[in-house]
């Protein structure tokens, strides 16, 4: 099998794509679309997001040290894309996208009511990396929409039709292939 050699680049795809809501102390809020995000620790629960300093949300996060990660779904893909290409300097993205700003419990940034999962985050560290600054944050509160809970109280994100981002495209996910611990199939057979 032949392979081409390319210049160094970020080829770790697909990525989760989320809407991050922010607010400043004056009460201005915004939504920014972020694909450079991820889990960095389970205990304590921590995440990261990477943001360009010129983005409207950047000084809000820097000022307050807070943000909310709102998971995206197929139903939210138009709003997600819109929030990634329009600037909050000129428009109210909540209003333009028909999204509901819900007060958070521990941070000043609002939740997006239509998102199946919202994670209130408190910044613990920031790292300037070049074009982006990475904010490391502790997850303070998680909100899960009860529409996606099964009879045992387990959250079933696949029912929300989550999406991912890869090379300029949004892709649908949510088709279960097995559970962790050797339940996935190899060549059509259970391993």
């Amino acid at each position: 099998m032949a392979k081409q050699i390319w210049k160094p680049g970020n080829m770790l795809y697909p990525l989760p794509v989320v809407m991050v809501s922010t607010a400043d102390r004056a009460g201005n809020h915004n939504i920014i679309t972020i694909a450079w995000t991820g889990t960095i620790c389970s205990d304590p629960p921590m995440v990261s997001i990477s943001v360009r300093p010129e983005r409207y949300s950047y000084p809000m996060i820097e000022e307050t040290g807070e943000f909310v990660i709102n998971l995206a779904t197929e139903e939210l893909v138009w709003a997600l894309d819109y929030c990634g290409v329009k600037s909050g300097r000129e428009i109210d993205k909540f209003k333009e996208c028909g999204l509901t700003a819900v007060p958070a419990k521990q941070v000043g940034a609002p939740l997006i009511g239509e998102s199946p999962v919202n994670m209130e985050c408190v910044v613990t560290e920031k790292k300037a990396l070049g074009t982006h600054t990475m904010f490391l944050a502790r997850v303070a509160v998680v909100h899960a929409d009860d529409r996606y809970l099964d009879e045992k109280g387990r959250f079933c994100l696949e029912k929300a039709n989550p999406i991912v981002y890869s090379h300029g495209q949004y892709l649908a996910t949510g088709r279960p292939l097995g559970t962790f611990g050797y339940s996935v199939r190899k060549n059509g057979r259970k391993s």
Side-chain angles (χ1 to χ4, degrees):
M1 171 172 39
K3 292 197 178 197
Q4 295 179 7
I5 302 295
W6 290 358
K7 68 177 184 171
N10 295 321
M11 295 299 292
L12 187 60
Y13 288 103
L15 301 167
V17 60
V18 299
M19 292 185 283
V20 173
S21 46
T22 61
D24 62 20
R25 290 193 176 103
N28 301 305
H29 58 257
N30 193 44
I31 303 168
I32 184 172
T33 299
I34 301 280
W36 292 2
T37 183
T39 298
I40 57 173
C41 189
S42 58
D43 188 13
M46 295 188 69
V47 293
S48 70
I49 62 170
S50 291
V51 182
R52 287 181 180 263
E54 61 269 18
R55 300 294 187 230
Y56 181 63
S57 289
Y58 184 92
M60 293 179 175
I61 297 169
E62 201 168 47
E63 175 187 323
T64 64
E66 301 172 342
F67 57 87
V68 177
I69 293 177
N70 304 275
L71 298 190
T73 64
E74 285 185 48
E75 187 176 281
L76 293 170
V77 72
W78 183 87
L80 173 106
D81 188 55
Y82 186 90
C83 290
V85 297
K86 297 291 184 178
S87 174
R89 286 183 182 93
E90 290 107 32
I91 57 164
D92 179 340
K93 293 180 189 179
F94 278 95
K95 180 181 174 188
E96 294 297 317
C97 293
L99 298 172
T100 308
V102 176
K105 298 293 181 198
Q106 291 190 23
V107 302
L111 314 177
I112 297 174
E114 293 75 11
S115 174
V117 175
N118 320 88
M119 294 180 281
E120 297 182 36
C121 301
V122 177
V123 174
T124 59
E125 188 178 343
K126 79 176 195 179
K127 292 185 173 282
L129 300 172
T131 58
H132 289 70
T133 296
M134 181 172 53
F135 293 95
L136 307 177
R138 177 182 52 81
V139 177
V141 178
V142 175
H143 303 258
D145 190 326
D146 59 11
R147 292 181 297 165
Y148 305 109
L149 299 178
D150 68 12
E151 61 282 348
K152 294 180 181 178
R154 184 181 75 83
F155 189 77
C156 303
L157 183 60
E158 69 277 5
K159 291 181 181 178
N161 298 317
I163 59 173
V164 294
Y165 176 84
S166 181
H167 300 285
Q169 294 183 311
Y170 302 110
L171 305 169
T173 65
R175 186 173 61 105
L177 300 175
T179 57
F180 181 75
Y182 303 105
S183 74
V184 294
R185 297 188 178 276
K186 180 179 179 183
N187 301 326
R189 297 183 313 262
K190 192 167 183 168
S191 49

